[in-house]
């Protein structure tokens, strides 16, 4: 028996899991509140160990037939999946904005088109994996990318639709079957994805959805030895726990974790351009792992740069994310608000200087003012740890060596930004220890390029061939160049 549908801004959403091509209700559930105004959106099922087992069994049963298809045979079905996302674009925009507080403008103009592309691009790119050979004098090596099996995908609350499709696309295109564990603070667009998979005609069990908390549903899922892969995006503490559970079963993990990325402004930077880009770090209330949150500015230009940045920040509209003009929306959950304000308050007590912000925003209970803190030491908590809110820090440097030392002076290494004369900025960027870094730009992404971090920012790379290297078992079929005959020598 299924549960009554939720009504979120006129969009009907199932609160149940999607297992083996049908909706499955749970005995237990948990409440969802909108970060915009704390109104109750409804109750969503929490998967028990039994429902986790059912999802794994459904994915296992579907795997042989799905894996047995060629990439060309899977492609039309995956393209229909993308089509169904496009048909419900408005629903995805409205629901994720209400559920996660994501900017409606970002959903409409960025996230939904990217979600469709994530499915289509990897379905197309999978075709290139079929004919790879390495020829030597001794043999021809036919390199195969075989589907690994049942894949668990666990996504965070800050970008539920985009990050789910970013992982689902290559996993399904490679021939795996998928169990998506939705983020507990923002699960509703994951449920819409299940509707789209069903409408596209994906065979039952190829795509499955579980909803629930990490402590219960997530724990039962990642500790199961029947999984072939686990792909996780989220926090470092959760990643350590997942890796430990998966390690007991030798299940490979891809871990894309947090960041404390530098935003470097060199003495020869275009200050106005760097300031305009700097203000973008507050978008989505700073709940973006890619954001450059540690501003490192040359001491000779810091006053002029701060004035320019202040001007752009002052133009940002804080408000309801459903208003397309809004640029800074709410923080996703009251616990996250408490965490963000805790970082700010402890920094101020410790001697940090508030250049602007630092208080709850009057628009609503889960809003925090765009904040900039200065007068900091490299060892300060707020410099070293990810805040994941609209909070930036400012430090100065005297030369390139000091800038690089400061940039590399945390345990994180996800991304970064470097503004300056192009050759100069490129040279400095090359010495920053990070998975990627933008020169005189921000947010440029290409699905063919690698994405991921170093140090505490993660293990592995996603995108292009790197996604398939993870989601596939790579096999070498060796055919000798001339007849082979075994020989034995006896002493």
């Amino acid at each position: 028996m299924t549960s009554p549908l939720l009504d979120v801004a006129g969009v009907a959403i199932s609160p149940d899991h999607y297992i083996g091509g049908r909706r499955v209700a749970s005995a237990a559930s948990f409440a969802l509140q909108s970060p915009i105004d704390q109104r109750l959106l409804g109750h969503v099922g929490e998967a028990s160990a039994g429902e986790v087992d059912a999802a794994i069994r459904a994915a296992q049963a579907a795997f042989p037939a799905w894996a047995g298809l060629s990439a060309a045979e899977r492609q039309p079905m995956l393209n229909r999946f993308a089509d169904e996302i496009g048909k419900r674009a408005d629903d995805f925009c409205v629901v994720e904005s209400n559920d996660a507080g994501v900017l409606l403008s970002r959903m409409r103009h960025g996230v939904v088109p990217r979600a469709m592309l994530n499915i289509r691009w990897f379905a197309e790119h999978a075709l290139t994996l079929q004919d790879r050979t390495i020829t030597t004098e001794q043999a021809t090596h036919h390199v195969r990318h075989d589907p690994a099996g049942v894949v668990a995908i666990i996504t965070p609350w800050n970008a539920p639709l985009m990050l789910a499709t970013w992982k689902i696309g290559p996993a399904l295109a490679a021939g795996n079957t998928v169990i998506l564990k939705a983020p507990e603070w923002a699960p509703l667009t994951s449920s819409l994805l299940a509707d789209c998979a069903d409408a596209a005609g994906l065979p039952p069990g190829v795509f499955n959805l579980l909803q629930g908390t990490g402590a219960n549903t997530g724990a039962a899922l990642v500790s199961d030895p029947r999984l072939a892969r686990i792909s996780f995006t989220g926090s470092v503490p959760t990643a350590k726990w997942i890796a430990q559970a998966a390690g007991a079963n030798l299940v490979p993990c891809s871990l894309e974790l947090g960041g404390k990325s530098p935003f470097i402004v060199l003495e020869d930077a275009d200050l106005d351009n760097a300031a305009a880009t700097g203000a973008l770090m507050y978008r989505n209330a700073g709940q973006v792992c890619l954001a450059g949150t540690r501003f490192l500015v040359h001491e000779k230009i810091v006053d002029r740069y701060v004035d320019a940045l202040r001007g752009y920040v002052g133009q940002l509209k804080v408000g309801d994310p459903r208003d397309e003009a809004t640029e800074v929306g709410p923080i996703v959950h009251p616990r996250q608000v408490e965490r963000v304000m805790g970082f700010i308050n402890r920094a101020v007590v410790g001697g940090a200087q508030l250049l602007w912000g630092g208080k709850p925003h009057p628009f609503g209970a889960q809003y925090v003012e765009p904040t900039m803190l200065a007068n900091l030491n490299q060892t300060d908590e707020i410099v070293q740890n990810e805040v994941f809110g609209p909070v930036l820090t400012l430090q100065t440097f005297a030369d390139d060596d000091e800038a690089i030392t400061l940039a590399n002076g945390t345990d994180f290494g996800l991304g970064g930004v470097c503004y300056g004369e192009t050759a100069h900025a490129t040279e400095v960027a090359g010495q920053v220890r990070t998975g990627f870094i933008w020169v005189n730009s921000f947010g440029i992404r290409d699905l063919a390029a690698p994405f991921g971090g170093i140090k505490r920012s993660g293990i592995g790379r996603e995108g292009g061939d790197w996604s398939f290297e993870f989601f596939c078992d790579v096999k070498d079929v060796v055919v000798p160049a001339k007849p082979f005959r075994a020989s034995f020598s006896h002493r």
Side-chain angles (χ1 to χ4, degrees), residues 131-473:
D131 299 312
R132 296 190 178 187
T133 60
I134 301 170
T135 303
T136 68
E137 291 183 3
Q138 292 183 304
T140 299
H141 300 259
H142 298 279
V143 180
R144 294 174 53 96
H145 286 72
D146 293 338
V150 177
V151 170
I153 291 173
I154 303 172
T155 53
W157 43 259
N158 64 312
L161 175 62
M162 199 286 288
L163 290 175
T165 54
W166 167 240
K167 297 171 184 289
I168 290 167
L172 291 180
N176 302 293
T177 52
V178 163
I179 301 169
L180 172 65
K181 193 301 191 164
E184 61 190 86
W185 285 354
L188 296 183
T189 48
S190 297
S191 187
L192 293 182
L193 270 180
D195 290 341
C196 292
D198 193 75
L202 291 188
V206 168
F207 174 80
N208 306 274
L209 168 68
L210 294 173
Q211 299 172 130
T213 62
N216 294 321
T217 305
L221 180 61
V222 300
S223 61
D224 198 290
R226 292 171 291 180
L227 298 179
R229 298 287 190 275
I230 298 171
S231 180
F232 170 75
T233 297
S235 71
V236 172
T238 302
K240 289 181 178 179
W241 185 86
I242 288 173
Q244 185 176 23
N249 300 312
L250 294 180
V251 176
C253 293
S254 173
L255 305 173
E256 195 273 285
L257 310 179
K260 195 67 181 175
S261 300
F263 191 114
I264 304 169
V265 184
L266 301 170
E267 186 179 5
D268 52 10
D270 177 337
L271 293 189
D272 185 70
N273 193 12
T277 303
L280 294 179
M281 303 305 108
Y282 289 117
R283 292 283 178 90
N284 208 40
Q287 298 168 125
V288 180
C289 64
L290 304 177
T293 58
R294 291 187 297 128
F295 278 61
L296 309 176
V297 183
H298 195 284
E299 61 187 17
K300 291 183 178 179
I301 61 168
V302 64
D303 292 338
R304 286 185 290 139
Y305 180 73
V306 168
D307 286 344
L309 179 59
R310 190 194 307 269
Y312 280 105
V313 172
Q315 298 174 32
L316 295 174
K317 180 180 178 180
V318 179
D320 191 324
R322 297 167 297 186
D323 178 351
E324 286 226 16
T326 295
E327 293 163 303
V328 181
I331 290 174
V332 69
H333 195 276
R335 292 214 308 263
Q336 186 65 13
V337 175
E338 182 180 358
R339 183 176 187 274
V340 170
M341 289 305 304
F343 269 106
I344 295 171
N345 294 335
R346 289 191 299 274
V348 172
V349 169
Q353 177 189 3
L354 266 175
L355 296 184
W356 54 78
K359 301 187 297 298
H361 194 279
F363 188 87
Q366 287 178 221
Y367 289 76
V368 173
E369 294 178 337
T371 297
M372 175 67 89
L373 292 154
N375 192 32
L376 297 162
N377 297 312
Q378 186 68 12
T379 57
D380 287 347
E381 174 197 47
I382 203 163
V383 173
Q384 291 294 320
N385 295 323
E386 186 176 43
V387 178
F388 223 61
V391 180
L392 308 176
T393 61
L394 175 68
Q395 296 168 273
T396 61
F397 59 87
D399 54 33
D400 289 356
D401 288 342
E402 186 178 10
I404 293 163
T405 298
L406 293 173
N408 292 334
T410 76
D411 290 333
F412 291 95
L414 183 58
V417 179
C418 188
Y419 266 87
E421 185 276 325
T422 300
H424 182 198
T426 302
E427 171 64 24
V428 171
Q431 298 179 67
V432 178
R433 297 197 62 229
T434 188
F436 57 90
I437 186 166
W438 288 290
V439 172
N440 295 333
S441 59
F442 175 73
I444 298 172
R445 297 283 304 280
D446 192 307
L447 293 185
F451 175 81
I454 64 171
K455 300 189 283 186
R456 291 177 66 198
S457 289
I459 296 172
R461 292 293 180 271
E462 298 177 273
D465 292 348
W466 292 271
S467 286
F468 289 109
E469 293 293 318
F470 175 72
F471 284 122
C472 292
D473 290 326

